[in-house]
Amino acid sequence: MATGSPVIDDFSHAHPQSSRGANWQLVSDQVMGGVSGGQMSRETVAGRRALRMRGAVSLENNGGFLQMALDIEPEGKGEDVTRWTGIALEVCGNGETYNMHLRTNDVKRSWQSYRQSFKAHPEWLTVHLPFSAFMPHRLEEPLDRSSLRRIGLVAIGRAFEADLAVSDLRFYE
């Protein structure tokens, strides 16, 4: 997928590869001693080809997250997305609230990000997340859209059963 394309992933490539060439990764709080666990798979959900994350988010051992993460470019460099207004995603799930976390070249620590919440209803819906609504978490710098590096779809902050599927992910004007 060429740089400047609105498509982040249309889930047409073999799992775990994205349309842009980078691989999706499942990350849990186990990297810091937590006990949340889950799985990420490519499957058909309600008639659509999708990336799906399922699992248990636990607050034990100071944990509390599961994440499907994607570097925007295979080399992990930042991309200038200033021409776009935000990110649109086709999602369905179990009615729970999830987050999208963005990382830019300004984000130096794993606990820092720009965050916005969305609800994943049991039926497929398009959710628009404008860049202007992403809030910095544990950093001072405003979101620099000239260096977007990573996107995470995250089940976080409370104990619950996560079930989130995404069938399209793209920038919108």
Side-chain angles (χ1 to χ4, degrees):
M1 194 63 48
T3 299
S5 169
V7 176
I8 300 167
D9 201 352
D10 62 9
F11 304 99
S12 61
H13 289 69
H15 183 66
Q17 189 178 49
S18 73
S19 300
R20 291 172 164 247
N23 287 339
W24 284 94
Q25 301 171 340
L26 180 68
V27 182
S28 77
D29 56 24
Q30 293 179 18
V31 299
M32 24 190 281
V35 297
S36 299
Q39 61 184 10
M40 177 182 71
S41 60
R42 189 74 53 90
E43 58 188 82
T44 301
V45 177
R48 295 190 188 184
R49 182 179 49 226
L51 183 67
R52 189 175 199 177
M53 175 178 67
R54 287 185 276 191
V57 178
S58 171
L59 300 178
E60 292 182 39
N61 292 348
N62 295 316
F65 76 89
L66 290 173
Q67 175 178 210
M68 297 186 292
L70 177 69
D71 290 332
I72 295 297
E73 296 296 329
E75 300 84 29
K77 299 183 294 188
E79 180 177 331
D80 185 344
V81 296
T82 54
R83 71 178 279 198
W84 309 111
T85 300
I87 298 174
L89 59 160
E90 298 266 339
V91 297
C92 79
N94 57 353
E96 295 285 350
T97 299
Y98 297 88
N99 279 9
M100 179 178 282
H101 292 185
L102 303 179
R103 298 187 74 182
T104 66
N105 288 339
D106 290 331
V107 176
K108 305 297 183 202
R109 295 181 171 86
S110 61
W111 55 82
Q112 297 175 320
S113 62
Y114 298 91
R115 299 178 174 191
Q116 189 172 162
S117 296
F118 63 93
K119 191 167 186 173
H121 297 274
E123 66 280 348
W124 285 106
L125 291 174
T126 302
V127 176
H128 289 84
L129 302 175
F131 288 124
S132 61
F134 280 88
M135 302 303 299
H137 178 77
R138 295 189 172 179
L139 70 161
E140 300 294 321
E141 297 82 6
L143 178 61
D144 178 6
R145 295 183 351 204
S146 70
S147 67
L148 181 61
R149 202 176 71 221
R150 187 173 177 98
I151 294 174
L153 299 171
V154 191
I156 190 168
R158 66 196 187 290
F160 72 105
E161 287 296 317
D163 188 354
L164 174 65
V166 58
S167 70
D168 190 74
L169 187 62
R170 65 183 60 235
F171 300 113
Y172 70 91
E173 293 184 311

